């Protein structure tokens, strides 16, 4: 439970810092990390591993969606 609380606190900080100047825009990462962290927690207490994988998958899916929208506009 402590790890889940820490993961949620990190996610809240990431949401808050997304609007600050000089920060990177990792589209989909925070949403994926929250979902992956929760899934990892319930699937054997692997919260941090789930958050890391969720971040990677979320960023990949967001980038893929942006690419598809861009390609659709230029047809």
């Amino acid at each position: 439970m402590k790890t889940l609380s820490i993961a949620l606190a990190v996610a809240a900080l990431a949401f808050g810092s997304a609007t600050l100047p000089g920060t990177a825009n990792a589209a989909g990462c925070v949403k994926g990390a929250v979902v992956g962290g929760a899934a990892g927690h319930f699937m054997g207490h692997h919260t941090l591993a789930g958050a890391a994988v969720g971040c990677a998958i979320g960023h990949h899916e967001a980038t893929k969606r942006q690419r598809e929208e861009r390609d659709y506009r230029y047809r």
Side-chain angles (χ1 to χ4, degrees), residues 4 7 28-58:
L4 181 61
C29 182
V30 175
K31 183 178 177 182
V34 170
V35 172
H41 174 72
F42 291 111
M43 297 301 249
H45 301 287
H46 298 292
T47 306
L48 296 179
V53 171
C55 176
I57 292 172

mmCIF file with all atom_site columns, all heavy atoms in Angstrom, residues 4 7 28-58:
data_model
loop_
_atom_site.group_PDB
_atom_site.id
_atom_site.type_symbol
_atom_site.label_atom_id
_atom_site.label_alt_id
_atom_site.label_comp_id
_atom_site.label_asym_id
_atom_site.label_entity_id
_atom_site.label_seq_id
_atom_site.pdbx_PDB_ins_code
_atom_site.Cartn_x
_atom_site.Cartn_y
_atom_site.Cartn_z
_atom_site.occupancy
_atom_site.B_iso_or_equiv
_atom_site.pdbx_formal_charge
_atom_site.auth_seq_id
_atom_site.auth_comp_id
_atom_site.auth_asym_id
_atom_site.auth_atom_id
_atom_site.pdbx_PDB_model_num
ATOM 1   N N   . LEU A 1 4  ? 2.060  1.964   -3.516  1.00 0.00 ? 4  LEU A N   1
ATOM 2   C CA  . LEU A 1 4  ? 0.995  2.538   -4.334  1.00 0.00 ? 4  LEU A CA  1
ATOM 3   C C   . LEU A 1 4  ? 0.819  4.021   -4.022  1.00 0.00 ? 4  LEU A C   1
ATOM 4   O O   . LEU A 1 4  ? 0.648  4.838   -4.926  1.00 0.00 ? 4  LEU A O   1
ATOM 5   C CB  . LEU A 1 4  ? -0.316 1.782   -4.102  1.00 0.00 ? 4  LEU A CB  1
ATOM 6   C CG  . LEU A 1 4  ? -1.521 2.255   -4.904  1.00 0.00 ? 4  LEU A CG  1
ATOM 7   C CD1 . LEU A 1 4  ? -1.254 2.120   -6.400  1.00 0.00 ? 4  LEU A CD1 1
ATOM 8   C CD2 . LEU A 1 4  ? -2.748 1.461   -4.525  1.00 0.00 ? 4  LEU A CD2 1
ATOM 9   N N   . ALA A 1 7  ? 3.627  5.851   -5.690  1.00 0.00 ? 7  ALA A N   1
ATOM 10  C CA  . ALA A 1 7  ? 3.412  5.931   -7.137  1.00 0.00 ? 7  ALA A CA  1
ATOM 11  C C   . ALA A 1 7  ? 2.361  6.986   -7.477  1.00 0.00 ? 7  ALA A C   1
ATOM 12  O O   . ALA A 1 7  ? 2.517  7.748   -8.433  1.00 0.00 ? 7  ALA A O   1
ATOM 13  C CB  . ALA A 1 7  ? 2.991  4.573   -7.682  1.00 0.00 ? 7  ALA A CB  1
ATOM 14  N N   . GLY A 1 28 ? 1.077  10.464  -22.876 1.00 0.00 ? 28 GLY A N   1
ATOM 15  C CA  . GLY A 1 28 ? 0.615  9.136   -22.538 1.00 0.00 ? 28 GLY A CA  1
ATOM 16  C C   . GLY A 1 28 ? 1.378  8.454   -21.422 1.00 0.00 ? 28 GLY A C   1
ATOM 17  O O   . GLY A 1 28 ? 0.950  7.424   -20.926 1.00 0.00 ? 28 GLY A O   1
ATOM 18  N N   . CYS A 1 29 ? 2.506  9.000   -21.015 1.00 0.00 ? 29 CYS A N   1
ATOM 19  C CA  . CYS A 1 29 ? 3.348  8.323   -20.032 1.00 0.00 ? 29 CYS A CA  1
ATOM 20  C C   . CYS A 1 29 ? 2.695  8.288   -18.657 1.00 0.00 ? 29 CYS A C   1
ATOM 21  O O   . CYS A 1 29 ? 2.664  7.236   -18.005 1.00 0.00 ? 29 CYS A O   1
ATOM 22  C CB  . CYS A 1 29 ? 4.710  8.993   -19.948 1.00 0.00 ? 29 CYS A CB  1
ATOM 23  S SG  . CYS A 1 29 ? 5.834  8.189   -18.809 1.00 0.00 ? 29 CYS A SG  1
ATOM 24  N N   . VAL A 1 30 ? 2.192  9.398   -18.191 1.00 0.00 ? 30 VAL A N   1
ATOM 25  C CA  . VAL A 1 30 ? 1.638  9.447   -16.837 1.00 0.00 ? 30 VAL A CA  1
ATOM 26  C C   . VAL A 1 30 ? 0.393  8.574   -16.728 1.00 0.00 ? 30 VAL A C   1
ATOM 27  O O   . VAL A 1 30 ? 0.244  7.806   -15.779 1.00 0.00 ? 30 VAL A O   1
ATOM 28  C CB  . VAL A 1 30 ? 1.328  10.907  -16.430 1.00 0.00 ? 30 VAL A CB  1
ATOM 29  C CG1 . VAL A 1 30 ? 0.659  10.956  -15.092 1.00 0.00 ? 30 VAL A CG1 1
ATOM 30  C CG2 . VAL A 1 30 ? 2.602  11.723  -16.412 1.00 0.00 ? 30 VAL A CG2 1
ATOM 31  N N   . LYS A 1 31 ? -0.467 8.675   -17.720 1.00 0.00 ? 31 LYS A N   1
ATOM 32  C CA  . LYS A 1 31 ? -1.683 7.855   -17.709 1.00 0.00 ? 31 LYS A CA  1
ATOM 33  C C   . LYS A 1 31 ? -1.328 6.369   -17.735 1.00 0.00 ? 31 LYS A C   1
ATOM 34  O O   . LYS A 1 31 ? -1.868 5.570   -16.975 1.00 0.00 ? 31 LYS A O   1
ATOM 35  C CB  . LYS A 1 31 ? -2.540 8.217   -18.925 1.00 0.00 ? 31 LYS A CB  1
ATOM 36  C CG  . LYS A 1 31 ? -3.851 7.500   -19.005 1.00 0.00 ? 31 LYS A CG  1
ATOM 37  C CD  . LYS A 1 31 ? -4.611 8.000   -20.229 1.00 0.00 ? 31 LYS A CD  1
ATOM 38  C CE  . LYS A 1 31 ? -5.914 7.288   -20.419 1.00 0.00 ? 31 LYS A CE  1
ATOM 39  N NZ  . LYS A 1 31 ? -6.602 7.746   -21.629 1.00 0.00 ? 31 LYS A NZ  1
ATOM 40  N N   . GLY A 1 32 ? -0.377 5.992   -18.587 1.00 0.00 ? 32 GLY A N   1
ATOM 41  C CA  . GLY A 1 32 ? 0.052  4.605   -18.657 1.00 0.00 ? 32 GLY A CA  1
ATOM 42  C C   . GLY A 1 32 ? 0.729  4.145   -17.382 1.00 0.00 ? 32 GLY A C   1
ATOM 43  O O   . GLY A 1 32 ? 0.568  3.004   -16.946 1.00 0.00 ? 32 GLY A O   1
ATOM 44  N N   . ALA A 1 33 ? 1.512  5.042   -16.756 1.00 0.00 ? 33 ALA A N   1
ATOM 45  C CA  . ALA A 1 33 ? 2.206  4.683   -15.519 1.00 0.00 ? 33 ALA A CA  1
ATOM 46  C C   . ALA A 1 33 ? 1.221  4.434   -14.386 1.00 0.00 ? 33 ALA A C   1
ATOM 47  O O   . ALA A 1 33 ? 1.405  3.510   -13.584 1.00 0.00 ? 33 ALA A O   1
ATOM 48  C CB  . ALA A 1 33 ? 3.189  5.776   -15.135 1.00 0.00 ? 33 ALA A CB  1
ATOM 49  N N   . VAL A 1 34 ? 0.180  5.238   -14.310 1.00 0.00 ? 34 VAL A N   1
ATOM 50  C CA  . VAL A 1 34 ? -0.820 5.046   -13.254 1.00 0.00 ? 34 VAL A CA  1
ATOM 51  C C   . VAL A 1 34 ? -1.552 3.719   -13.454 1.00 0.00 ? 34 VAL A C   1
ATOM 52  O O   . VAL A 1 34 ? -1.690 2.930   -12.514 1.00 0.00 ? 34 VAL A O   1
ATOM 53  C CB  . VAL A 1 34 ? -1.818 6.224   -13.223 1.00 0.00 ? 34 VAL A CB  1
ATOM 54  C CG1 . VAL A 1 34 ? -2.989 5.923   -12.317 1.00 0.00 ? 34 VAL A CG1 1
ATOM 55  C CG2 . VAL A 1 34 ? -1.109 7.498   -12.781 1.00 0.00 ? 34 VAL A CG2 1
ATOM 56  N N   . VAL A 1 35 ? -1.972 3.459   -14.676 1.00 0.00 ? 35 VAL A N   1
ATOM 57  C CA  . VAL A 1 35 ? -2.684 2.205   -14.952 1.00 0.00 ? 35 VAL A CA  1
ATOM 58  C C   . VAL A 1 35 ? -1.752 1.007   -14.767 1.00 0.00 ? 35 VAL A C   1
ATOM 59  O O   . VAL A 1 35 ? -2.112 0.008   -14.140 1.00 0.00 ? 35 VAL A O   1
ATOM 60  C CB  . VAL A 1 35 ? -3.280 2.225   -16.380 1.00 0.00 ? 35 VAL A CB  1
ATOM 61  C CG1 . VAL A 1 35 ? -3.852 0.877   -16.759 1.00 0.00 ? 35 VAL A CG1 1
ATOM 62  C CG2 . VAL A 1 35 ? -4.339 3.300   -16.489 1.00 0.00 ? 35 VAL A CG2 1
ATOM 63  N N   . GLY A 1 36 ? -0.541 1.101   -15.277 1.00 0.00 ? 36 GLY A N   1
ATOM 64  C CA  . GLY A 1 36 ? 0.421  0.009   -15.139 1.00 0.00 ? 36 GLY A CA  1
ATOM 65  C C   . GLY A 1 36 ? 0.830  -0.222  -13.698 1.00 0.00 ? 36 GLY A C   1
ATOM 66  O O   . GLY A 1 36 ? 1.013  -1.365  -13.270 1.00 0.00 ? 36 GLY A O   1
ATOM 67  N N   . GLY A 1 37 ? 0.979  0.853   -12.926 1.00 0.00 ? 37 GLY A N   1
ATOM 68  C CA  . GLY A 1 37 ? 1.323  0.709   -11.515 1.00 0.00 ? 37 GLY A CA  1
ATOM 69  C C   . GLY A 1 37 ? 0.227  0.027   -10.731 1.00 0.00 ? 37 GLY A C   1
ATOM 70  O O   . GLY A 1 37 ? 0.492  -0.838  -9.886  1.00 0.00 ? 37 GLY A O   1
ATOM 71  N N   . ALA A 1 38 ? -1.003 0.394   -11.014 1.00 0.00 ? 38 ALA A N   1
ATOM 72  C CA  . ALA A 1 38 ? -2.126 -0.244  -10.330 1.00 0.00 ? 38 ALA A CA  1
ATOM 73  C C   . ALA A 1 38 ? -2.228 -1.717  -10.722 1.00 0.00 ? 38 ALA A C   1
ATOM 74  O O   . ALA A 1 38 ? -2.419 -2.588  -9.870  1.00 0.00 ? 38 ALA A O   1
ATOM 75  C CB  . ALA A 1 38 ? -3.426 0.480   -10.662 1.00 0.00 ? 38 ALA A CB  1
ATOM 76  N N   . ALA A 1 39 ? -2.071 -2.003  -12.013 1.00 0.00 ? 39 ALA A N   1
ATOM 77  C CA  . ALA A 1 39 ? -2.137 -3.399  -12.462 1.00 0.00 ? 39 ALA A CA  1
ATOM 78  C C   . ALA A 1 39 ? -0.988 -4.213  -11.873 1.00 0.00 ? 39 ALA A C   1
ATOM 79  O O   . ALA A 1 39 ? -1.179 -5.339  -11.417 1.00 0.00 ? 39 ALA A O   1
ATOM 80  C CB  . ALA A 1 39 ? -2.102 -3.459  -13.984 1.00 0.00 ? 39 ALA A CB  1
ATOM 81  N N   . GLY A 1 40 ? 0.208  -3.639  -11.863 1.00 0.00 ? 40 GLY A N   1
ATOM 82  C CA  . GLY A 1 40 ? 1.358  -4.338  -11.293 1.00 0.00 ? 40 GLY A CA  1
ATOM 83  C C   . GLY A 1 40 ? 1.203  -4.593  -9.810  1.00 0.00 ? 40 GLY A C   1
ATOM 84  O O   . GLY A 1 40 ? 1.628  -5.625  -9.293  1.00 0.00 ? 40 GLY A O   1
ATOM 85  N N   . HIS A 1 41 ? 0.584  -3.661  -9.115  1.00 0.00 ? 41 HIS A N   1
ATOM 86  C CA  . HIS A 1 41 ? 0.367  -3.831  -7.681  1.00 0.00 ? 41 HIS A CA  1
ATOM 87  C C   . HIS A 1 41 ? -0.542 -5.024  -7.400  1.00 0.00 ? 41 HIS A C   1
ATOM 88  O O   . HIS A 1 41 ? -0.270 -5.825  -6.504  1.00 0.00 ? 41 HIS A O   1
ATOM 89  C CB  . HIS A 1 41 ? -0.235 -2.560  -7.079  1.00 0.00 ? 41 HIS A CB  1
ATOM 90  C CG  . HIS A 1 41 ? -0.612 -2.701  -5.638  1.00 0.00 ? 41 HIS A CG  1
ATOM 91  N ND1 . HIS A 1 41 ? 0.330  -2.762  -4.647  1.00 0.00 ? 41 HIS A ND1 1
ATOM 92  C CD2 . HIS A 1 41 ? -1.814 -2.802  -5.036  1.00 0.00 ? 41 HIS A CD2 1
ATOM 93  C CE1 . HIS A 1 41 ? -0.295 -2.899  -3.477  1.00 0.00 ? 41 HIS A CE1 1
ATOM 94  N NE2 . HIS A 1 41 ? -1.603 -2.914  -3.696  1.00 0.00 ? 41 HIS A NE2 1
ATOM 95  N N   . PHE A 1 42 ? -1.599 -5.149  -8.156  1.00 0.00 ? 42 PHE A N   1
ATOM 96  C CA  . PHE A 1 42 ? -2.548 -6.226  -7.925  1.00 0.00 ? 42 PHE A CA  1
ATOM 97  C C   . PHE A 1 42 ? -2.102 -7.550  -8.529  1.00 0.00 ? 42 PHE A C   1
ATOM 98  O O   . PHE A 1 42 ? -2.648 -8.592  -8.199  1.00 0.00 ? 42 PHE A O   1
ATOM 99  C CB  . PHE A 1 42 ? -3.933 -5.845  -8.450  1.00 0.00 ? 42 PHE A CB  1
ATOM 100 C CG  . PHE A 1 42 ? -4.567 -4.761  -7.629  1.00 0.00 ? 42 PHE A CG  1
ATOM 101 C CD1 . PHE A 1 42 ? -4.750 -3.503  -8.156  1.00 0.00 ? 42 PHE A CD1 1
ATOM 102 C CD2 . PHE A 1 42 ? -4.958 -5.008  -6.328  1.00 0.00 ? 42 PHE A CD2 1
ATOM 103 C CE1 . PHE A 1 42 ? -5.326 -2.496  -7.399  1.00 0.00 ? 42 PHE A CE1 1
ATOM 104 C CE2 . PHE A 1 42 ? -5.529 -4.016  -5.561  1.00 0.00 ? 42 PHE A CE2 1
ATOM 105 C CZ  . PHE A 1 42 ? -5.709 -2.751  -6.100  1.00 0.00 ? 42 PHE A CZ  1
ATOM 106 N N   . MET A 1 43 ? -1.126 -7.532  -9.412  1.00 0.00 ? 43 MET A N   1
ATOM 107 C CA  . MET A 1 43 ? -0.652 -8.766  -10.042 1.00 0.00 ? 43 MET A CA  1
ATOM 108 C C   . MET A 1 43 ? 0.661  -9.241  -9.434  1.00 0.00 ? 43 MET A C   1
ATOM 109 O O   . MET A 1 43 ? 1.527  -9.738  -10.133 1.00 0.00 ? 43 MET A O   1
ATOM 110 C CB  . MET A 1 43 ? -0.470 -8.551  -11.548 1.00 0.00 ? 43 MET A CB  1
ATOM 111 C CG  . MET A 1 43 ? -1.751 -8.213  -12.252 1.00 0.00 ? 43 MET A CG  1
ATOM 112 S SD  . MET A 1 43 ? -2.952 -9.493  -12.055 1.00 0.00 ? 43 MET A SD  1
ATOM 113 C CE  . MET A 1 43 ? -3.032 -10.102 -13.682 1.00 0.00 ? 43 MET A CE  1
ATOM 114 N N   . GLY A 1 44 ? 0.848  -9.052  -8.157  1.00 0.00 ? 44 GLY A N   1
ATOM 115 C CA  . GLY A 1 44 ? 2.029  -9.607  -7.510  1.00 0.00 ? 44 GLY A CA  1
ATOM 116 C C   . GLY A 1 44 ? 2.960  -8.567  -6.916  1.00 0.00 ? 44 GLY A C   1
ATOM 117 O O   . GLY A 1 44 ? 4.144  -8.827  -6.799  1.00 0.00 ? 44 GLY A O   1
ATOM 118 N N   . HIS A 1 45 ? 2.451  -7.417  -6.584  1.00 0.00 ? 45 HIS A N   1
ATOM 119 C CA  . HIS A 1 45 ? 3.224  -6.368  -5.923  1.00 0.00 ? 45 HIS A CA  1
ATOM 120 C C   . HIS A 1 45 ? 4.435  -5.925  -6.748  1.00 0.00 ? 45 HIS A C   1
ATOM 121 O O   . HIS A 1 45 ? 5.539  -5.785  -6.236  1.00 0.00 ? 45 HIS A O   1
ATOM 122 C CB  . HIS A 1 45 ? 3.649  -6.801  -4.521  1.00 0.00 ? 45 HIS A CB  1
ATOM 123 C CG  . HIS A 1 45 ? 2.475  -7.140  -3.654  1.00 0.00 ? 45 HIS A CG  1
ATOM 124 N ND1 . HIS A 1 45 ? 1.646  -6.164  -3.155  1.00 0.00 ? 45 HIS A ND1 1
ATOM 125 C CD2 . HIS A 1 45 ? 1.979  -8.321  -3.235  1.00 0.00 ? 45 HIS A CD2 1
ATOM 126 C CE1 . HIS A 1 45 ? 0.690  -6.744  -2.438  1.00 0.00 ? 45 HIS A CE1 1
ATOM 127 N NE2 . HIS A 1 45 ? 0.866  -8.058  -2.472  1.00 0.00 ? 45 HIS A NE2 1
ATOM 128 N N   . HIS A 1 46 ? 4.229  -5.713  -8.021  1.00 0.00 ? 46 HIS A N   1
ATOM 129 C CA  . HIS A 1 46 ? 5.267  -5.213  -8.915  1.00 0.00 ? 46 HIS A CA  1
ATOM 130 C C   . HIS A 1 46 ? 4.864  -3.823  -9.411  1.00 0.00 ? 46 HIS A C   1
ATOM 131 O O   . HIS A 1 46 ? 4.793  -3.564  -10.606 1.00 0.00 ? 46 HIS A O   1
ATOM 132 C CB  . HIS A 1 46 ? 5.462  -6.161  -10.097 1.00 0.00 ? 46 HIS A CB  1
ATOM 133 C CG  . HIS A 1 46 ? 5.911  -7.523  -9.691  1.00 0.00 ? 46 HIS A CG  1
ATOM 134 N ND1 . HIS A 1 46 ? 7.154  -7.760  -9.162  1.00 0.00 ? 46 HIS A ND1 1
ATOM 135 C CD2 . HIS A 1 46 ? 5.282  -8.716  -9.717  1.00 0.00 ? 46 HIS A CD2 1
ATOM 136 C CE1 . HIS A 1 46 ? 7.277  -9.046  -8.892  1.00 0.00 ? 46 HIS A CE1 1
ATOM 137 N NE2 . HIS A 1 46 ? 6.145  -9.653  -9.217  1.00 0.00 ? 46 HIS A NE2 1
ATOM 138 N N   . THR A 1 47 ? 4.611  -2.929  -8.480  1.00 0.00 ? 47 THR A N   1
ATOM 139 C CA  . THR A 1 47 ? 4.079  -1.611  -8.813  1.00 0.00 ? 47 THR A CA  1
ATOM 140 C C   . THR A 1 47 ? 5.028  -0.810  -9.690  1.00 0.00 ? 47 THR A C   1
ATOM 141 O O   . THR A 1 47 ? 4.622  -0.240  -10.703 1.00 0.00 ? 47 THR A O   1
ATOM 142 C CB  . THR A 1 47 ? 3.774  -0.829  -7.527  1.00 0.00 ? 47 THR A CB  1
ATOM 143 O OG1 . THR A 1 47 ? 2.918  -1.616  -6.714  1.00 0.00 ? 47 THR A OG1 1
ATOM 144 C CG2 . THR A 1 47 ? 3.102  0.496   -7.834  1.00 0.00 ? 47 THR A CG2 1
ATOM 145 N N   . LEU A 1 48 ? 6.299  -0.745  -9.311  1.00 0.00 ? 48 LEU A N   1
ATOM 146 C CA  . LEU A 1 48 ? 7.243  0.084   -10.060 1.00 0.00 ? 48 LEU A CA  1
ATOM 147 C C   . LEU A 1 48 ? 7.506  -0.486  -11.449 1.00 0.00 ? 48 LEU A C   1
ATOM 148 O O   . LEU A 1 48 ? 7.618  0.277   -12.422 1.00 0.00 ? 48 LEU A O   1
ATOM 149 C CB  . LEU A 1 48 ? 8.542  0.241   -9.280  1.00 0.00 ? 48 LEU A CB  1
ATOM 150 C CG  . LEU A 1 48 ? 8.398  0.975   -7.947  1.00 0.00 ? 48 LEU A CG  1
ATOM 151 C CD1 . LEU A 1 48 ? 9.740  1.050   -7.237  1.00 0.00 ? 48 LEU A CD1 1
ATOM 152 C CD2 . LEU A 1 48 ? 7.834  2.365   -8.155  1.00 0.00 ? 48 LEU A CD2 1
ATOM 153 N N   . ALA A 1 49 ? 7.617  -1.795  -11.553 1.00 0.00 ? 49 ALA A N   1
ATOM 154 C CA  . ALA A 1 49 ? 7.811  -2.406  -12.871 1.00 0.00 ? 49 ALA A CA  1
ATOM 155 C C   . ALA A 1 49 ? 6.581  -2.155  -13.743 1.00 0.00 ? 49 ALA A C   1
ATOM 156 O O   . ALA A 1 49 ? 6.707  -1.839  -14.933 1.00 0.00 ? 49 ALA A O   1
ATOM 157 C CB  . ALA A 1 49 ? 8.073  -3.897  -12.735 1.00 0.00 ? 49 ALA A CB  1
ATOM 158 N N   . GLY A 1 50 ? 5.405  -2.276  -13.167 1.00 0.00 ? 50 GLY A N   1
ATOM 159 C CA  . GLY A 1 50 ? 4.178  -2.013  -13.919 1.00 0.00 ? 50 GLY A CA  1
ATOM 160 C C   . GLY A 1 50 ? 4.085  -0.567  -14.366 1.00 0.00 ? 50 GLY A C   1
ATOM 161 O O   . GLY A 1 50 ? 3.652  -0.274  -15.475 1.00 0.00 ? 50 GLY A O   1
ATOM 162 N N   . ALA A 1 51 ? 4.515  0.347   -13.502 1.00 0.00 ? 51 ALA A N   1
ATOM 163 C CA  . ALA A 1 51 ? 4.495  1.763   -13.860 1.00 0.00 ? 51 ALA A CA  1
ATOM 164 C C   . ALA A 1 51 ? 5.467  2.059   -14.995 1.00 0.00 ? 51 ALA A C   1
ATOM 165 O O   . ALA A 1 51 ? 5.152  2.824   -15.918 1.00 0.00 ? 51 ALA A O   1
ATOM 166 C CB  . ALA A 1 51 ? 4.829  2.613   -12.639 1.00 0.00 ? 51 ALA A CB  1
ATOM 167 N N   . ALA A 1 52 ? 6.641  1.449   -14.956 1.00 0.00 ? 52 ALA A N   1
ATOM 168 C CA  . ALA A 1 52 ? 7.627  1.672   -16.013 1.00 0.00 ? 52 ALA A CA  1
ATOM 169 C C   . ALA A 1 52 ? 7.130  1.135   -17.353 1.00 0.00 ? 52 ALA A C   1
ATOM 170 O O   . ALA A 1 52 ? 7.222  1.815   -18.388 1.00 0.00 ? 52 ALA A O   1
ATOM 171 C CB  . ALA A 1 52 ? 8.950  1.013   -15.639 1.00 0.00 ? 52 ALA A CB  1
ATOM 172 N N   . VAL A 1 53 ? 6.595  -0.068  -17.339 1.00 0.00 ? 53 VAL A N   1
ATOM 173 C CA  . VAL A 1 53 ? 6.079  -0.659  -18.577 1.00 0.00 ? 53 VAL A CA  1
ATOM 174 C C   . VAL A 1 53 ? 4.850  0.106   -19.058 1.00 0.00 ? 53 VAL A C   1
ATOM 175 O O   . VAL A 1 53 ? 4.693  0.365   -20.255 1.00 0.00 ? 53 VAL A O   1
ATOM 176 C CB  . VAL A 1 53 ? 5.766  -2.159  -18.371 1.00 0.00 ? 53 VAL A CB  1
ATOM 177 C CG1 . VAL A 1 53 ? 5.042  -2.740  -19.563 1.00 0.00 ? 53 VAL A CG1 1
ATOM 178 C CG2 . VAL A 1 53 ? 7.046  -2.922  -18.102 1.00 0.00 ? 53 VAL A CG2 1
ATOM 179 N N   . GLY A 1 54 ? 3.987  0.505   -18.133 1.00 0.00 ? 54 GLY A N   1
ATOM 180 C CA  . GLY A 1 54 ? 2.810  1.282   -18.499 1.00 0.00 ? 54 GLY A CA  1
ATOM 181 C C   . GLY A 1 54 ? 3.171  2.609   -19.132 1.00 0.00 ? 54 GLY A C   1
ATOM 182 O O   . GLY A 1 54 ? 2.532  3.053   -20.086 1.00 0.00 ? 54 GLY A O   1
ATOM 183 N N   . CYS A 1 55 ? 4.219  3.246   -18.619 1.00 0.00 ? 55 CYS A N   1
ATOM 184 C CA  . CYS A 1 55 ? 4.692  4.506   -19.193 1.00 0.00 ? 55 CYS A CA  1
ATOM 185 C C   . CYS A 1 55 ? 5.165  4.292   -20.625 1.00 0.00 ? 55 CYS A C   1
ATOM 186 O O   . CYS A 1 55 ? 4.819  5.059   -21.522 1.00 0.00 ? 55 CYS A O   1
ATOM 187 C CB  . CYS A 1 55 ? 5.812  5.081   -18.342 1.00 0.00 ? 55 CYS A CB  1
ATOM 188 S SG  . CYS A 1 55 ? 6.541  6.580   -19.020 1.00 0.00 ? 55 CYS A SG  1
ATOM 189 N N   . ALA A 1 56 ? 5.944  3.249   -20.843 1.00 0.00 ? 56 ALA A N   1
ATOM 190 C CA  . ALA A 1 56 ? 6.453  2.978   -22.187 1.00 0.00 ? 56 ALA A CA  1
ATOM 191 C C   . ALA A 1 56 ? 5.320  2.678   -23.161 1.00 0.00 ? 56 ALA A C   1
ATOM 192 O O   . ALA A 1 56 ? 5.296  3.198   -24.283 1.00 0.00 ? 56 ALA A O   1
ATOM 193 C CB  . ALA A 1 56 ? 7.432  1.803   -22.140 1.00 0.00 ? 56 ALA A CB  1
ATOM 194 N N   . ILE A 1 57 ? 4.370  1.865   -22.734 1.00 0.00 ? 57 ILE A N   1
ATOM 195 C CA  . ILE A 1 57 ? 3.246  1.514   -23.610 1.00 0.00 ? 57 ILE A CA  1
ATOM 196 C C   . ILE A 1 57 ? 2.355  2.728   -23.865 1.00 0.00 ? 57 ILE A C   1
ATOM 197 O O   . ILE A 1 57 ? 1.934  2.975   -24.992 1.00 0.00 ? 57 ILE A O   1
ATOM 198 C CB  . ILE A 1 57 ? 2.447  0.338   -23.018 1.00 0.00 ? 57 ILE A CB  1
ATOM 199 C CG1 . ILE A 1 57 ? 3.290  -0.927  -23.053 1.00 0.00 ? 57 ILE A CG1 1
ATOM 200 C CG2 . ILE A 1 57 ? 1.132  0.135   -23.774 1.00 0.00 ? 57 ILE A CG2 1
ATOM 201 C CD1 . ILE A 1 57 ? 2.680  -2.090  -22.323 1.00 0.00 ? 57 ILE A CD1 1
ATOM 202 N N   . GLY A 1 58 ? 2.084  3.499   -22.812 1.00 0.00 ? 58 GLY A N   1
ATOM 203 C CA  . GLY A 1 58 ? 1.257  4.687   -22.974 1.00 0.00 ? 58 GLY A CA  1
ATOM 204 C C   . GLY A 1 58 ? 1.881  5.703   -23.917 1.00 0.00 ? 58 GLY A C   1
ATOM 205 O O   . GLY A 1 58 ? 1.201  6.295   -24.765 1.00 0.00 ? 58 GLY A O   1
#
